[in-house]
Amino acid sequence: MSETPHSRTEQSLPARQEALFRVSQAIGVYRDPKELFRVLAKELRQVVTFDFVAIYLYDPATNKIENPLLEVMQGPAFQIPPDFRAEETVTWWVYNHQEPVLISSPQTESRFPRMMNLYRDFGFQSACILPLTTAYRRLGSLAFGARHPNAYSPDEMRYLSLVADQVALAVDNALRDEEQRTGELFLEEGQRLSHTGSWMWNLVTGELKWSREHFFILGADPEHDKPSTPLFWSRVHPDDREWLQRSVDQAVRDKHEFEHEFRLVLPDGALKHVSGIGRPVLDNAGNLTAFIGTTMDITPRKQVEEELRKQKARFEKLFELAPEAIVLRDFENRILRVNREFTNLYGFTPEEALGRNITDLIVPESYWEESEKIRGALQRGERVDAELTRKRKDGSRLIVSFSAAPVKVEGNTPEIYGIYRDITERKRAEEALKRSETYLSEGQRLSHTGSWARCVTSGEVYFSQESCRIFGFDPGSSVTVDMILGRVHPDERPLVRETIQNCNRDSSEFELNYRIILDDGSIRHLHVLGHPVRKPDGQVAEFIGTHVDVTEQYLSRKALEDAFAEINTLKEQLFQENVALRQEIDETSMFDEIVGKSSALQKVLKELETVGPTDSTVLILGETGTGKELIARAIHNLSSRNSNAFVKVNCAAIPTGLLESELFGHERGAFTGAIAQRIGRFELAHHGTVFLDEIGEIPLELQPKLLRVLQEREFERLGSSRTLKTDARLIAATNRDLSELVAEHKFRSDLFYRLNVFPIRVPALRERPEDVPLLVRHFAEIFSRRMGKLIQTIPADTMSALMSYDWPGNVRELQNVIERAVILSSRGVLRISPAELKATSAVIPAATEIAPAAVRPKRVRTVVPPLTREQVEHALRESGGRVGGVDGAAARLGLKRTTLIAQMKRLRLNSAAVTASTIDTVKPL
């Protein structure tokens, strides 16, 4: 490597000239591009330093770079990856600029960054890329590469440019040879596929040239036979030889082209039809020098034409002899041709019909619009099939079946081919038959009676439309005996099969009742009749009969029986409900309205408004006598179940052994003393509400059954295995702490959690003392009205004593005290001495606060009993006409000031008009 490129050039100049000469010689010797490229690489290797040499071809139409030839001295083959864009390659630049590119080192070349990275990856340090171009076209580039830098000098680049010119010629020749071979191959293949041979006749020398396909058309062998005039004329059919010879001679004399169809007879006797075309070739002086032309085998076309000619002849005969009227017309409805039957059908002769508008000729005026629509459909290329009303020459009308379609009979002009068939009598018969079938079908439908028939010999079964509907078969389907038996109820299938076998054997009539099961699982009850039909020889030909759907009659009878049974059941249930309702009426307290205005009671009422409209289970907690049942009734009245039963059960008042029977009912004989069936409270409360008071007293062994009712909504009566469903809402109440009972294992935890969905704590009366005056007046009015007494006033000391009392018995105790006081009262004054009341210190823990619901579909009304005019006037006189204040009339009556003002407006009283003449110590009621 001590020599410089310049010194190396001077030393090798003669060798390079010699190498260039040998390259030129190789181009003339080698036609295979790959072999030529290997020789070039070998020759150039002796005078030029390179580690790879490659030819790159660029196709501007596809913008692709191809590398058909590559020679690498050592190492891996240098390849351009397929993801390289053509614009990133050196070849693209050289092709477009037609200038060589000399790369001394990848590090110093900045125009082709990706290519330089590729050079480095393959270990090449320098390169010389030259354009491959001939005088006719651009081809691509010739590239030399070396693994050391500065491998090529400008002088070497000029020398390599000369080499590139020679290589371009070789590549161009190779490409042209390939294109020529491809063209010749296409021509030969095209002639073979089209059965067309080419020929040339030199009139100067008499020489003939034929293509391979021309040999094959003449039945000659291109490998052994030679083109000659005698050979050609020996193949021409003897009947065509003379006129064809005259035609060719005339073309030679007149120097004009010729085109003829004639026949050939091959050596094996086969006949061919060919089409020959000849074109004259004239020199500059206008002298005829040659003819060139083609010979095409048209035998298949001639065969098709002959077949078409025969078909046309047959069509002509069919057209005339067809039993239907046939009309050929154009798109303007002008008649072009008619057959003989058209004259028979419509009365018009062909002469009278041809050229006439078919609408004017045979279409009644009222059907012209319909005719135009049909013509429009045919113009769109549609086929038309219709039944039409048309008229004859004598004016009579007929119904025809019309079929038409656009066709091309001759040339390219589409025409309409129409067929008319007289169906007048058929339509009348069809109409009569249709009416009969409609009457029969409607009669069968209305009577639910279907008809059937079965051929004895073939087993074929006929079902009327109604029979198919009864059995759930498709009316268009084929029915078999196995299909019928498949519908029969399994319990009755053996009987039906046996009946069929017996009637076949005995040729007897039969009558049978059985059930069928349809695809949807529904059951129908049928009454079937069968009758044998005999042939003249006495043999049974078929059985015919009817299917009568008696399902409605059966269901009516069954419904009637069920109705009687249900009436008995409802009668018993009504009796039981009567008993339960009488018990409820007897046990119901007089808490028909909730009385009070305290905040504690208002909180409970808000909770009622929240939970009432739902179906959730409610647990009411509170001391004895606080009105838990009244709260339960209020919840029921607020719910959507308020129109159904509210059933109350006091779990503490019923013996343990009878509680299960009370809740779930029992069957007759379920235990000693069960002399009749009894309906349980959960069954009575279906779609209603069950109120279980004192639920903490339910025995532990009964609690799982109650839990099942809450969870599964089902239960069994005592003595019965049949599971009953109930949709009853449960409201429970207790004065005990159920959580303590759970801890003591006296109450199931899962049942407690089921009950404790929405707990409501009812406050004791001592927790709402402001409600005592209202309750006192409320009870006093009720009991006085019931006992026929008039209670006008309640002394102040009595009211103070009642308000200061702790009421351990709560509202119930207050009710009893007022009832006793009313009994003992006299002269309209209600008196209760403090000695009669007992103090108590029992305190019930406050229940957990539950936020009221945001939506209140109903409200529970807090009741303030109405005041009489005398009561209000008395209070105003005692308070000196003052309504509010500590000693005002409102305080004396136990009311808010605004409430008393509202009462005064109702009674039309004015405090100023009332004189307080006397001050009494008695407070009016």
Side-chain angles (χ1 to χ4, degrees), residues 640-655:
S640 58
R641 303 168 180 264
N642 56 13
S643 60
N644 297 309
F646 176 82
V647 180
K648 172 194 170 185
V649 179
N650 191 326
C651 301
I654 301 174

Side-chain angles (χ1 to χ4, degrees), residues 321-568:
L321 300 178
E324 296 89 7
I326 302 175
V327 179
L328 188 66
R329 54 191 167 103
D330 60 19
F331 280 111
E332 299 302 322
N333 270 351
R334 288 188 298 268
I335 297 177
L336 304 176
R337 188 175 179 184
V338 296
N339 67 345
R340 186 186 308 166
E341 187 60 27
F342 179 84
T343 301
N344 297 335
L345 184 60
Y346 291 103
F348 296 99
T349 64
E351 292 76 14
E352 293 173 327
L354 294 181
R356 294 278 301 277
N357 188 299
I358 196 169
T359 302
D360 298 335
L361 197 67
I362 65 172
V363 179
E365 186 175 353
S366 58
Y367 292 92
W368 283 1
E369 184 178 353
E370 174 192 66
S371 179
E372 280 302 305
K373 290 181 179 178
I374 292 175
R375 185 167 74 97
L378 291 168
Q379 286 179 332
R380 293 192 297 271
E382 301 174 9
R383 175 187 171 92
V384 175
D385 292 287
E387 293 182 354
L388 309 172
T389 299
R390 292 295 178 257
K391 66 177 181 178
R392 296 187 178 93
K393 184 177 180 180
D394 60 7
S396 62
R397 297 194 178 191
L398 70 161
I399 302 175
V400 296
S401 170
F402 175 66
S403 297
V407 296
K408 293 182 180 180
V409 178
E410 294 181 358
N412 296 323
T413 302
E415 297 166 347
I416 299 173
Y417 187 85
I419 299 175
Y420 298 83
R421 185 180 297 109
D422 187 0
I423 59 171
T424 305
E425 293 301 323
R426 192 195 78 189
K427 292 298 291 184
R428 290 172 181 168
E430 286 179 354
E431 192 65 29
L433 179 61
K434 185 177 180 181
R435 283 197 302 270
S436 299
E437 289 179 346
T438 301
Y439 296 155
L440 177 61
S441 176
E442 188 65 14
Q444 289 188 354
R445 186 185 67 82
L446 294 174
S447 62
H448 303 293
T449 302
S451 56
W452 60 270
R454 181 175 64 85
C455 180
V456 174
T457 55
S458 66
E460 183 180 358
V461 178
Y462 161 78
F463 260 37
S464 70
Q465 193 170 11
E466 184 63 17
S467 287
C468 289
R469 189 198 65 78
I470 291 172
F471 277 81
F473 295 146
D474 184 355
S477 63
S478 178
V479 180
T480 64
V481 174
D482 290 337
M483 290 172 61
I484 298 171
L485 290 174
R487 284 280 196 261
V488 177
H489 194 285
D491 295 344
E492 295 161 359
R493 196 172 296 155
L495 174 62
V496 175
R497 184 179 285 109
E498 182 182 357
T499 301
I500 295 174
Q501 293 171 352
N502 291 340
C503 72
N504 285 338
R505 184 184 66 246
D506 303 334
S507 302
S508 59
E509 297 181 350
F510 66 89
E511 184 173 355
L512 190 62
N513 292 314
Y514 58 83
R515 293 169 292 171
I516 60 173
I517 303 176
L518 302 185
D519 290 334
D520 59 2
S522 60
I523 296 178
R524 286 182 177 169
H525 296 259
L526 304 185
H527 179 69
V528 183
L529 295 174
H531 174 74
V533 177
R534 300 181 185 274
K535 294 185 288 186
D537 60 1
Q539 296 294 322
V540 175
E542 62 180 353
F543 281 88
I544 61 173
T546 58
H547 299 114
V548 183
D549 185 355
V550 295
T551 306
E552 291 184 3
Q553 295 90 316
Y554 174 83
L555 293 178
S556 297
R557 185 173 64 252
K558 182 69 167 55
L560 189 60
E561 295 172 355
D562 292 344
F564 281 125
E566 187 177 2
I567 288 172
N568 291 331

Side-chain angles (χ1 to χ4, degrees), residues 299-316:
T299 304
R301 193 192 77 189
K302 283 293 184 179
Q303 292 173 345
V304 171
E305 288 177 354
E306 179 63 21
E307 183 63 27
L308 287 175
R309 187 190 63 79
K310 293 178 180 179
Q311 288 182 2
K312 184 176 180 180
R314 287 195 294 268
F315 170 77
E316 293 289 340

Side-chain angles (χ1 to χ4, degrees), residues 515-743:
R515 293 169 292 171
I516 60 173
I517 303 176
L518 302 185
D519 290 334
D520 59 2
S522 60
I523 296 178
R524 286 182 177 169
H525 296 259
L526 304 185
H527 179 69
V528 183
L529 295 174
H531 174 74
V533 177
R534 300 181 185 274
K535 294 185 288 186
D537 60 1
Q539 296 294 322
V540 175
E542 62 180 353
F543 281 88
I544 61 173
T546 58
H547 299 114
V548 183
D549 185 355
V550 295
T551 306
E552 291 184 3
Q553 295 90 316
Y554 174 83
L555 293 178
S556 297
R557 185 173 64 252
K558 182 69 167 55
L560 189 60
E561 295 172 355
D562 292 344
F564 281 125
E566 187 177 2
I567 288 172
N568 291 331
T569 302
L570 292 175
K571 182 179 178 182
E572 176 63 22
Q573 183 176 348
L574 184 61
F575 174 77
Q576 297 292 341
E577 288 178 350
N578 246 340
V579 173
L581 289 175
R582 288 180 180 276
Q583 291 176 356
E584 289 299 320
I585 292 171
D586 293 341
E587 295 173 2
T588 299
S589 68
M590 290 179 292
F591 290 92
D592 53 348
E593 292 180 312
I594 299 176
V595 178
K597 62 179 182 178
S598 64
S599 58
L601 183 60
Q602 292 300 321
K603 174 179 175 296
V604 172
L605 297 183
K606 289 181 180 180
E607 292 175 346
L608 295 187
E609 294 171 2
T610 300
V611 76
T614 71
D615 282 338
S616 300
T617 301
V618 179
L619 179 61
I620 303 173
L621 306 171
E623 298 178 9
T624 300
T626 54
K628 295 188 290 296
E629 181 182 346
L630 191 61
I631 297 299
R633 288 184 182 276
I635 294 173
H636 172 72
N637 291 334
L638 285 171
S639 72
S640 58
R641 303 168 180 264
N642 56 13
S643 60
N644 297 309
F646 176 82
V647 180
K648 172 194 170 185
V649 179
N650 191 326
C651 301
I654 301 174
T656 302
L658 298 179
L659 184 56
E660 182 177 359
S661 170
E662 186 72 18
L663 293 177
F664 307 118
H666 64 256
E667 298 291 340
R668 179 179 179 181
F671 52 84
T672 303
I675 60 175
Q677 184 190 69
R678 178 182 175 85
I679 297 175
R681 295 307 177 97
F682 274 101
E683 194 171 351
L684 282 173
H686 186 55
H687 295 313
T689 303
V690 173
F691 174 52
L692 298 184
D693 199 6
E694 303 299 343
I695 196 169
E697 306 300 328
I698 291 184
L700 197 60
E701 62 271 13
L702 189 57
Q703 294 178 20
K705 293 188 176 182
L706 180 58
L707 179 63
R708 181 188 177 198
V709 173
L710 288 177
Q711 293 185 155
E712 310 296 337
R713 302 283 184 177
E714 60 185 26
F715 63 92
E716 289 89 24
R717 293 178 187 156
L718 275 174
S720 173
S721 60
R722 185 164 67 96
T723 300
L724 301 177
K725 294 284 187 178
T726 182
D727 178 23
R729 180 183 188 179
L730 178 64
I731 302 176
T734 182
N735 60 2
R736 304 184 64 181
D737 188 345
L738 295 183
S739 59
E740 290 185 3
L741 295 179
V742 171

Side-chain angles (χ1 to χ4, degrees), residues 869-908:
R869 187 181 185 90
E870 292 75 9
Q871 291 173 333
V872 176
E873 289 178 346
H874 191 83
L876 288 171
R877 282 194 295 270
E878 286 188 338
S879 62
R882 287 183 293 107
V883 177
V886 178
D887 295 327
R892 293 174 180 273
L893 292 172
L895 301 175
K896 291 182 179 179
R897 185 178 65 85
T898 56
T899 303
L900 180 56
I901 291 173
Q903 294 274 15
M904 291 170 64
K905 287 182 179 180
R906 180 180 62 83
L907 296 172
R908 297 180 180 177

